[in-house]
């Protein structure tokens, strides 16, 4: 198994397997031929600087057969190996919710140029994609390729006829509407507040009849090792703040802590996080969510004991926050997790 070879710069990087998959998919879709760089010998590094990936996309979109739906069609033709270990991990996930959480954690192994997050404010869930590079640096068709590849990956689990409830893009539409309807099979909005895929709650939670937890565990262990190597090779400010939050008490956590560790002012830290497409508040919220899930899954602590451990004022605040995160109260989550453990 390979290790992570970081690019020469400290900016975001993209896995070479994804670059090869993009070139292969353009050839399949007839939207531009794959040139000599599709040969793995021409991509010797495990990872490419994001600027190299953008240049590759520029060539793809400038090719003779390219059009306004090239990104959409490229993502729809993505195969598991195009997403490196994340693709194989998704194939062994127990449900779409598990797959979305895997993408949330391991997407940096595919690309550090964007983040994936799962939000469950109610019955349905939203899987959101946010570029961590500025809008001029990422072509809208790259975003469309990401979202259509996410829907394709969901179909590896749920079946080829599965469709989300809705899809939205933050950029305006430039081509005909029909190809989007054909690929996604649901309403598609443009000029929306976020790039997101909305999935029915029952679809997210439906368990696969065939699920191999041992194989899933092996993939996760390997992905964790690669993620650690990637973080150690060229950690972003976001990743270093995440690591700090993972190992600190959340009861009184503030941005002063990681800022001091990184030798930055709080203002500079906030600016750096904003430039990487996130914020202190968003990272703290995610850390509280993960810590709450872990405590509910591994301890019998009552809610009024868990709340201060994750920096919330009490059980009521925990119930409200956890329901926003998971679409269910913490008691129901704990019961469901224990039920699965007995199964």
């Amino acid at each position: 198994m390979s290790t992570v070879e970081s690019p020469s710069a400290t900016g975001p990087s993209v896995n070479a397997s994804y670059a090869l998959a993009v070139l292969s998919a353009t050839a399949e879709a007839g939207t531009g031929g794959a040139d000599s760089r599709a040969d793995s010998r021409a991509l010797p590094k495990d990872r490419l600087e994001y600027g190299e990936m953008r240049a590759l996309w520029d060539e793809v979109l400038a090719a003779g057969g390219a059009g306004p739906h090239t990104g959409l069609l490229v993502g729809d033709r993505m195969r598991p190996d195009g997403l490196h270990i994340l693709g194989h991990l998704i194939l062994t996930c127990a449900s779409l919710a598990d797959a979305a959480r895997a993408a949330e954690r391991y997407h940096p192994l595919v690309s550090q140029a964007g983040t994936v997050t799962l939000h469950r404010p109610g019955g349905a869930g939203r899987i959101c994609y946010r570029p961590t590079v500025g809008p001029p640096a990422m072509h809208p068709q790259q975003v469309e390729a990401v979202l259509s590849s996410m829907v394709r990956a969901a179909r590896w689990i749920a079946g080829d006829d599965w469709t989300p409830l809705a899809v939205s893009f933050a950029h305006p539409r430039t081509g005909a509407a029909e190809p989007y309807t054909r690929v996604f099979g649901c309403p598609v909005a443009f000029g929306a507040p976020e790039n997101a895929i909305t999935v029915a709650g029952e679809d997210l939670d439906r368990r696969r009849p065939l699920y191999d937890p041992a194989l899933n565990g092996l993939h996760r262990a390997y992905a964790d090792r690669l993620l650690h190597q990637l973080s150690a090779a060229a950690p972003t400010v976001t990743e270093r703040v995440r690591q700090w939050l993972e190992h600190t008490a959340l009861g009184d956590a503030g941005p002063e802590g990681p800022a001091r560790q990184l030798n930055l002012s709080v203002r500079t830290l906030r600016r750096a996080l904003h430039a990487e497409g996130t914020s202190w508040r968003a990272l703290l919220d995610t850390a509280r969510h993960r810590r709450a899930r872990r405590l509910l899954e591994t301890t019998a602590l009552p809610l009024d004991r868990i709340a201060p451990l994750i920096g919330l004022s009490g059980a009521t605040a925990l119930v409200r926050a956890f329901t926003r995160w998971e679409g269910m109260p913490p008691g129901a989550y704990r019961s469901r997790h224990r039920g699965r453990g007995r199964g």
Side-chain angles (χ1 to χ4, degrees):
M1 291 186 175
S2 64
T3 59
V4 171
E5 180 181 329
S6 65
S8 58
T10 59
S13 64
V14 179
N15 198 288
S17 62
Y18 182 72
L20 288 168
V22 167
L23 290 170
S24 177
T26 58
E28 287 182 22
T31 57
D35 62 19
S36 62
R37 286 189 297 175
D39 188 333
S40 62
R41 289 172 297 181
L43 288 172
K45 295 180 292 188
D46 286 341
R47 300 187 70 86
L48 309 176
E49 296 177 22
Y50 175 72
E52 297 177 86
M53 188 67 198
R54 173 57 198 252
L56 184 150
W57 268 103
D58 287 342
E59 291 189 19
V60 165
L61 297 175
H69 304 104
T70 295
L72 176 75
L73 300 176
V74 164
D76 189 46
R77 285 165 173 77
M78 194 62 57
R79 297 189 178 95
D81 57 355
L83 302 181
H84 195 46
I85 185 60
L86 177 58
H88 299 289
L89 175 55
I90 287 172
L91 286 173
T92 64
C93 282
S95 65
L96 287 181
D98 287 347
R101 292 190 186 107
E104 191 175 46
R105 176 170 175 79
Y106 300 113
H107 182 73
L109 294 177
V110 180
S111 172
Q112 293 175 308
T115 60
V116 175
T117 53
L118 171 64
H119 302 277
R120 300 197 65 176
R126 293 191 332 279
I127 304 169
C128 302
Y129 175 74
R130 175 183 291 181
T132 56
V133 295
M138 182 170 288
H139 197 284
Q141 291 212 42
Q142 292 177 256
V143 177
E144 293 182 8
V146 171
L147 263 66
S148 59
S149 70
M150 289 166 63
V151 170
R152 173 52 54 197
R155 288 171 176 156
W156 300 337
I157 296 176
D160 286 340
D161 59 347
W162 176 83
T163 60
L165 294 177
V167 171
S168 65
F169 292 103
H171 58 263
R173 177 166 60 86
T174 56
E178 188 277 332
Y180 296 97
T181 303
R182 174 161 40 86
V183 167
F184 293 121
C186 67
V188 182
F190 292 85
E194 60 188 356
N195 306 301
I197 301 165
T198 303
V199 183
E202 57 268 28
D203 287 352
L204 280 171
D205 295 327
R206 186 178 298 116
R207 302 277 289 182
R208 301 179 70 188
L210 298 176
Y211 165 58
D212 186 343
L215 182 58
N216 181 264
L218 287 174
H219 286 322
R220 285 182 186 274
Y222 180 46
D224 279 330
R225 188 160 72 249
L226 292 181
L227 194 64
H228 175 74
Q229 292 173 359
L230 180 62
S231 300
T236 62
V237 173
T238 298
E239 184 57 36
R240 294 175 75 174
V241 172
R242 283 198 188 106
Q243 292 173 359
W244 185 87
L245 286 166
E246 184 70 20
H247 300 98
T248 196
L250 298 179
D252 56 355
E256 300 80 9
R260 187 164 50 250
Q261 186 181 72
L262 299 177
N263 294 314
L264 300 174
S265 69
V266 171
R267 185 176 183 182
T268 301
L269 175 73
R270 291 187 186 276
R271 284 179 174 174
L273 294 176
H274 179 74
E276 293 175 7
T278 187
S279 67
W280 165 256
R281 180 175 295 183
L283 294 175
L284 178 60
D285 189 63
T286 298
R288 285 171 170 166
H289 180 191
R290 290 178 176 170
R291 189 78 56 90
R293 276 203 318 232
R294 186 160 63 243
L295 290 169
L296 288 167
E297 293 170 3
T298 61
T299 76
L301 290 172
L303 300 188
D304 60 356
R305 291 276 305 282
I306 291 177
L309 294 178
I310 66 170
L312 296 179
S313 58
T316 300
L318 173 58
V319 170
R320 185 165 54 247
F322 199 86
T323 303
R324 170 172 59 85
W325 292 326
E326 291 287 335
M328 68 180 73
Y333 179 88
R334 175 176 266 168
S335 297
R336 176 176 294 187
H337 178 80
R338 289 178 175 175
R340 289 178 181 177
R342 289 193 295 269

